Amino acid sequence: MSTHASDPLAALGSLPGVADAVDSVRKAVDRVYGHRVMRRRSNEISSEAALRGARGSAALSGADWALEEVRRRTDFGADPEARTVGAALRLGAEAGQLLSIWRQSPLRVLARLHLVAAGDPGAGASGGGAAGDSVGRPRLDGETVDEPLVTSPLPSPDEVAGRLEGLAELIVAGSEAPALVTAAVVHGELLALRPFTSYNGLVARAAERIALVGSGLDPKAVCPAEVGHAEQGRAAYLAAFEGYLSGTPEGVGGWIAHCGRAVELGARESTAVCEALQRGAA
């Protein structure tokens, strides 16, 4: 049995509001997994969840496209918004391929996620992409960060390296903490650190998804938290994140609960898709 000293994530489960959030998430996930459509057409639900999750994540990063526009488009290199949507779609497709690596080498997964998000490194920072020599590695002294949503002070590269290593050690060691807690901390730390020169928000939300799916909470990836984060709105997302940055029990607990509500809303979205499929409307 782990102690809180050796398993610091487990201690977060007792923060204000966290236990209720964990319980609500479990019930929401159970509802969608219990739907009769999931027994026959779960692959379709997973694919639709990835699409809707990508749309939600891109919306938070400033590319708030209608779902049907995301579904219709094939060219994602025309402008910065299109590149953001394309990056989110690529991350959604890649996340499932990285599950087996996450618990052994999370830093390798994060580097891969940034590489995938950047797409064509030759696009350069001026084109909204990432400069070729900065792709897939933490930023260095003097390198700027293009992150349209989060404007809190940037930690130094040395602090980034230390905190990333600490986060990786926690993931590799495993935890008795609920999956929601671990996923929310992964998400919050990556937003706080912004370790890459670009696409940090997209990468943070993709890593949250990997943590949720890899934990076994959502093994078929049908509860896209990105949908819920977008539905709650950018202002609520940033307010909850400021709570995480504060480091107070209420602030960190509030961030975990916010992420929990996002998972609930993602599960609700997929439940609606199941209902539509059952009616023959989708």
Side-chain angles (χ1 to χ4, degrees), residues 3 21 50-51 57 61 88 98 103 106 110 129 142 166 188 199 212 217 224 239 248 265:
T3 67
L51 180 74
S57 192
S61 288
L98 299 173
R103 280 293 302 274
L110 294 177
Y199 298 119
L212 289 167
L217 175 66
T248 65
L265 291 170

Side-chain angles (χ1 to χ4, degrees), residues 134-156:
S134 67
V135 171
R137 62 155 176 79
R139 55 186 167 81
L140 305 176
D141 274 321
E143 291 183 326
T144 58
V145 173
D146 178 16
E147 178 47 59
L149 184 60
V150 179
T151 58
S152 57
L154 280 170
S156 70

Side-chain angles (χ1 to χ4, degrees), residues 48-132:
E48 186 67 17
L51 180 74
R52 294 179 185 224
R55 194 218 73 82
S57 192
L60 284 172
S61 288
D64 192 0
W65 289 14
L67 179 63
E68 291 311 312
E69 179 67 7
V70 178
R71 197 189 304 278
R72 178 187 70 81
R73 285 283 287 268
T74 56
D75 175 15
F76 296 100
D79 57 73
E81 281 198 8
R83 284 190 285 273
T84 296
V85 174
L89 287 168
R90 289 191 298 273
L91 286 171
E94 184 74 10
Q97 310 304 312
L98 299 173
L99 294 171
S100 63
I101 307 171
W102 175 248
R103 280 293 302 274
Q104 283 73 45
S105 184
L107 297 184
R108 180 180 162 198
V109 169
L110 294 177
R112 175 63 184 168
L113 289 174
H114 188 240
L115 185 67
V116 168
D120 177 12
S126 63

Side-chain angles (χ1 to χ4, degrees), residues 48-280:
E48 186 67 17
L51 180 74
R52 294 179 185 224
R55 194 218 73 82
S57 192
L60 284 172
S61 288
D64 192 0
W65 289 14
L67 179 63
E68 291 311 312
E69 179 67 7
V70 178
R71 197 189 304 278
R72 178 187 70 81
R73 285 283 287 268
T74 56
D75 175 15
F76 296 100
D79 57 73
E81 281 198 8
R83 284 190 285 273
T84 296
V85 174
L89 287 168
R90 289 191 298 273
L91 286 171
E94 184 74 10
Q97 310 304 312
L98 299 173
L99 294 171
S100 63
I101 307 171
W102 175 248
R103 280 293 302 274
Q104 283 73 45
S105 184
L107 297 184
R108 180 180 162 198
V109 169
L110 294 177
R112 175 63 184 168
L113 289 174
H114 188 240
L115 185 67
V116 168
D120 177 12
S126 63
D133 63 356
S134 67
V135 171
R137 62 155 176 79
R139 55 186 167 81
L140 305 176
D141 274 321
E143 291 183 326
T144 58
V145 173
D146 178 16
E147 178 47 59
L149 184 60
V150 179
T151 58
S152 57
L154 280 170
S156 70
D158 285 345
E159 182 179 350
V160 168
R163 286 172 64 177
L164 279 179
E165 189 62 38
L167 181 63
E169 289 174 359
L170 289 176
I171 293 166
V172 171
S175 173
E176 293 180 0
L180 171 63
V181 171
T182 301
V185 168
V186 166
H187 185 170
E189 276 296 285
L190 292 175
L191 274 188
L193 297 176
R194 280 148 291 159
F196 303 111
T197 56
S198 60
Y199 298 119
N200 287 289
L202 295 180
V203 168
R205 291 183 288 275
E208 178 185 49
R209 169 176 280 240
I210 289 172
L212 289 167
V213 174
S215 70
L217 175 66
D218 178 24
K220 295 182 183 294
V222 297
C223 303
E226 306 97 320
V227 167
H229 287 305
E231 185 171 335
Q232 292 179 94
R234 297 176 83 182
Y237 183 76
L238 288 175
F241 175 60
E242 287 298 323
Y244 179 82
L245 286 179
S246 75
T248 65
E250 294 77 15
V252 176
W255 168 251
I256 295 170
H258 184 86
C259 292
R261 181 58 180 158
V263 177
E264 288 184 63
L265 291 170
R268 187 181 71 179
E269 185 93 349
S270 287
T271 301
V273 172
C274 287
E275 292 291 334
L277 287 171
Q278 187 167 277
R279 294 191 306 269

